[in-house]
Amino acid sequence: MTTTAAAAELPAAQSTARRSRQRTAYWLIAPGVLWMLLFLVLPIGMILYVSFWTQTTFAIQPVLTTKSWTTFFSSDTYLSALWTTVRIWLTVLFATILVGYPAGLFVGLFVKNKTLQTVLLTLCVIPFWTSFLIRVLAWRPMLGKEGAINIVLQWLGITSAPIDALLFSELSVVIGMTQIYCVFMVGPIAFMLGRIDPNIIEAARDLGAGFGRIFRTIILPLSLPGVVVGSIFVSVMVLGEFATSAALSGRKVNLLGNIIVTQVGSLKWAFASVIGVVLTLIIGVVVAGLLRVVNLRKEL
């Protein structure tokens, strides 16, 4: 009887221990869940709610209407700004990968000294020791008609006259954003490449594989999580940009972020909320799509 009673009590004890662990887990994640609800879900819900309010010239009323949404999607100006935002994001994303991947490859794979790796990555971060606005405005004397780039191009004989399109254009916005956000691509790529076991590459060389095949079959697949993480960083920041565009384009390039700033300055909260919701949805789709490329939870 004693053995039978003990055997009967064992599942009950295991069930109690399991429930205790579940309660502990719930209490551990509760602060994070509460924080996300208060500072992410609730604000987004409020913005979505305000986007349906009735907006007049000098006031806003909590009377639900779709007028602001209709105005946004029926206006060529706002749809053009949406397309410009997406186009510049894709261009900057491609440019940061094009510039950042070789830099990350060099730092993470070819530099063997860990101290030197740290020094090189620190050099990439040094521009962030200054104000964001200063880093943006520093491109003006570089890209202007009499700027350093035009002077060098004419001195080398590449151009015979200054290039006007370097400043106050979409090109200047792309150049500025690429320089500012490239470091967010270099860091994750260098981190992932630094985790590659050198013995794997050495074994591939012993088997007769050249650098091209090693890159395609080993380096690129193993560095892909770093590219995805860097792409998420760059995408989130570029899609929400407004300062770089305003400073380097002379307000000729109108992004969704610039329209939000203008609408908020005019106290048109409902319309600004519409654009904020649209921008949030775009960022959500982009991040979700990038996360489907690789399983970051497994890779990291």
Side-chain angles (χ1 to χ4, degrees):
M1 291 293 294
T2 303
T3 305
T4 305
E9 291 177 358
L10 184 59
Q14 291 177 341
S15 178
T16 302
R18 190 182 305 111
R19 286 195 297 268
S20 177
R21 287 195 298 269
Q22 289 177 346
R23 284 195 297 269
T24 303
Y26 291 150
W27 280 111
L28 288 174
I29 66 173
V33 172
L34 183 61
W35 180 273
M36 296 293 287
L37 287 174
L38 289 177
F39 299 104
L40 180 63
V41 177
L42 183 60
I44 291 176
M46 291 176 63
I47 293 173
L48 179 61
Y49 177 53
V50 172
S51 69
F52 289 100
W53 283 15
T54 300
Q55 180 77 61
T56 60
T57 304
F58 300 106
I60 183 172
Q61 299 174 349
V63 179
L64 299 185
T65 178
T66 59
K67 184 179 179 180
S68 297
W69 287 89
T70 304
T71 301
F72 178 82
F73 286 105
S74 61
S75 172
D76 292 336
T77 301
Y78 299 129
L79 292 179
S80 175
L82 173 61
W83 166 239
T84 301
T85 301
V86 174
R87 183 175 66 250
I88 288 182
W89 158 64
L90 290 173
T91 306
V92 173
L93 181 61
F94 176 77
T96 52
I97 293 175
L98 190 64
V99 175
Y101 196 94
L105 182 66
F106 174 76
V107 174
L109 201 62
F110 292 97
V111 178
K112 304 300 182 181
N113 190 301
K114 296 298 181 182
T115 302
L116 183 58
Q117 282 184 350
T118 304
V119 171
L120 292 175
L121 290 175
T122 302
L123 290 175
C124 293
V125 180
I126 282 179
F128 286 84
W129 295 359
T130 61
S131 168
F132 173 85
L133 189 59
I134 292 176
R135 283 183 282 129
V136 172
L137 295 176
W139 278 103
R140 284 193 174 186
M142 294 286 291
L143 299 173
K145 274 188 175 183
E146 299 179 358
I149 294 178
N150 270 317
I151 292 174
V152 171
L153 290 176
Q154 292 179 76
W155 181 72
L156 294 175
I158 299 175
T159 60
S160 57
I163 302 175
D164 296 337
L166 285 180
L167 187 60
F168 299 136
S169 64
E170 193 170 304
L171 176 60
S172 62
V173 176
V174 171
I175 293 174
M177 288 187 183
T178 301
Q179 183 270 327
I180 291 170
Y181 298 121
C182 188
V183 65
F184 294 100
M185 187 67 70
V186 174
I189 292 174
F191 172 75
M192 292 305 301
L193 289 172
R195 296 176 57 186
I196 298 177
D197 189 349
N199 294 325
I200 299 177
I201 298 177
E202 188 64 31
R205 287 175 179 162
D206 292 342
L207 293 173
F211 179 78
R213 188 168 184 180
I214 292 174
F215 179 80
R216 291 193 308 271
T217 58
I218 299 176
I219 297 175
L220 184 59
L222 293 178
S223 65
L224 197 57
V227 176
V228 170
V229 172
S231 298
I232 291 174
F233 289 159
V234 172
S235 298
V236 170
M237 288 181 287
V238 170
L239 286 171
E241 258 279 13
F242 65 93
T244 305
S245 173
L248 295 181
S249 73
R251 300 190 181 277
K252 294 179 181 179
V253 177
N254 213 17
L255 304 180
L256 290 181
N258 299 109
I259 297 177
I260 292 176
V261 172
T262 302
Q263 296 299 318
V264 170
S266 302
L267 301 181
K268 295 183 179 179
W269 305 102
F271 196 75
S273 297
V274 170
I275 303 174
V277 172
V278 171
L279 199 54
T280 302
L281 289 175
I282 294 173
I283 294 174
V285 171
V286 169
V287 173
L290 289 171
L291 289 177
R292 291 185 66 87
V293 176
V294 294
N295 188 349
L296 292 181
R297 185 177 300 177
K298 178 182 177 181
E299 297 293 340
L300 299 178

